[in-house]
Amino acid sequence: MADPTGSDGDDPTLTLYRLHGCPYCERVARRLERYDVSYRSRFVAGEHSRRDAVKRVAGTRSVPLLIDRDRGVTMPESGQIVEYLDRTYGTGAVDEEGI
Amino acid sequence: MADFQLIDFPPSDHPVEGDSVPDFTRPLVTEEYWEDVPLSALAQNAGSVLLVFYPLNWGGKSLYWWTEIREREWGSDDVAVVGVGISQPFDHQRFIEARDLEYPLYSDPGNGVAERYDIVHDLDGMAGIAEPRPAVFLVDADLTAEYVWVAGEWPESPPYDEIESALTRS
């Protein structure tokens, strides 16, 4: 069967792999919302062993994981992701507490 | 002899063949992850969708249904087979793993999709829990229903052969 969630030209180019109840993931999501960047939100299981989808695209099982397809970016670690978002989609002058 | 009685469902205004079915967005759960997916996007992507409103995960009905569907190998590059059930995403994911399903399942704990399709089943003896009544909608890329089956009584299993011929036609 075709990839059920498929993808076509209209899809957001950003995908955020995230965990339910993970503050680091929420931090990234809030940043994306602040900059009004549309993205796909993919929730994965809590156990590392069940995160093969993440491993396959990123080589790591850690989340949050951001994929920015157009820019060829695949990035784990929330601090790094937030910095990247500030630099790429924001003014670059966002304070750390201003979530 | 045991007194065995089927429960009749009340009449319903669910979509019938030729009608447009309501679009909706819910988390679509696969073995690996879940994400919000509009039915319309799924239909456009696949060409057509067989939407299977099925009874509670892990109950006899859901086990039999999905075993049957899996063994019949429904679904192809042109038809996506997708379940709709009221379990939350983690439970759907465990169910998919345990039953070795290739089919994604929409998670609709509030049963809002069944409400919009007018196929709500208020489960007897389970306060506060409602699920869809058993139903199958085959829709094309524009969400027009090509084939519809909605259970008239409970418990009732899908007419697999009839659905299969509808799948073959589409």
Side-chain angles (χ1 to χ4, degrees):
Chain A
M1 195 172 81
D3 174 8
T5 59
S7 63
D8 55 46
D10 298 333
D11 279 346
T13 66
L14 269 71
T15 302
L16 174 65
Y17 285 86
R18 62 199 286 193
L19 279 179
H20 172 64
C22 153
Y24 302 101
C25 305
E26 297 305 312
R27 186 169 171 233
V28 172
R30 278 194 294 252
R31 216 53 152 227
L32 287 162
E33 276 149 31
R34 176 196 284 182
Y35 295 139
D36 203 19
V37 179
S38 73
Y39 65 100
R40 313 169 75 128
S41 200
R42 287 183 168 167
F43 283 85
V44 298
E47 307 93 318
H48 270 82
S49 60
R50 292 179 185 270
R51 294 189 205 151
D52 286 345
V54 181
K55 171 90 174 174
R56 219 168 35 244
V57 294
T60 167
R61 288 190 164 88
S62 91
V63 285
L65 177 87
L66 183 80
I67 297 177
D68 191 342
R69 214 170 54 212
D70 278 0
R71 293 181 168 80
V73 170
T74 299
M75 186 181 285
E77 209 278 303
S78 64
Q80 186 177 289
I81 295 172
V82 163
E83 255 177 52
Y84 168 77
L85 292 176
D86 290 346
R87 205 165 58 236
T88 313
Y89 297 98
T91 59
V94 179
D95 59 285
E96 272 303 294
E97 302 307 312
I99 297 168
Chain B
M1 187 176 153
D3 185 17
F4 182 75
Q5 203 177 351
L6 292 170
I7 293 152
D8 286 328
F9 282 122
S12 148
D13 280 329
H14 63 77
V16 296
E17 277 147 51
D19 287 352
S20 286
V21 305
D23 194 13
F24 62 85
T25 298
R26 289 290 184 279
L28 187 64
V29 183
T30 67
E31 188 167 8
E32 301 199 305
Y33 55 79
W34 55 94
E35 66 181 326
D36 287 349
V37 176
L39 175 65
S40 50
L42 198 63
Q44 274 160 27
N45 189 46
S48 53
V49 175
L50 185 76
L51 209 50
V52 181
F53 290 87
Y54 71 97
L56 297 175
N57 284 354
W58 312 108
K61 285 289 165 185
S62 62
L63 298 181
Y64 290 135
W65 282 36
W66 286 111
T67 299
E68 182 84 26
I69 291 170
R70 200 190 57 213
E71 284 175 357
R72 285 170 179 258
E73 298 181 332
W74 285 359
S76 65
D77 288 343
D78 304 320
V79 185
V81 176
V82 178
V84 184
I86 63 164
S87 280
Q88 47 93 346
F90 286 110
D91 186 76
H92 269 352
Q93 197 169 47
R94 294 299 185 273
F95 188 65
I96 286 168
E97 283 167 2
R99 305 310 295 177
D100 202 16
L101 293 185
E102 288 179 18
Y103 309 110
L105 304 174
Y106 271 117
S107 172
D108 185 30
N111 209 33
V113 177
E115 279 174 18
R116 295 192 57 198
Y117 279 66
D118 197 19
I119 50 168
V120 170
H121 174 204
D122 294 309
L123 285 158
D124 293 331
M126 290 193 203
I129 298 183
E131 68 169 358
R133 73 166 77 172
V136 162
F137 294 83
L138 178 63
V139 301
D140 69 11
D142 300 320
L143 299 191
T144 303
E146 294 178 340
Y147 169 84
V148 173
W149 170 76
V150 175
E153 52 194 24
W154 170 254
E156 187 178 4
S157 294
Y160 296 104
D161 291 340
E162 190 183 296
I163 296 168
E164 197 155 293
S165 22
L167 283 173
T168 315
R169 283 198 305 273
S170 87

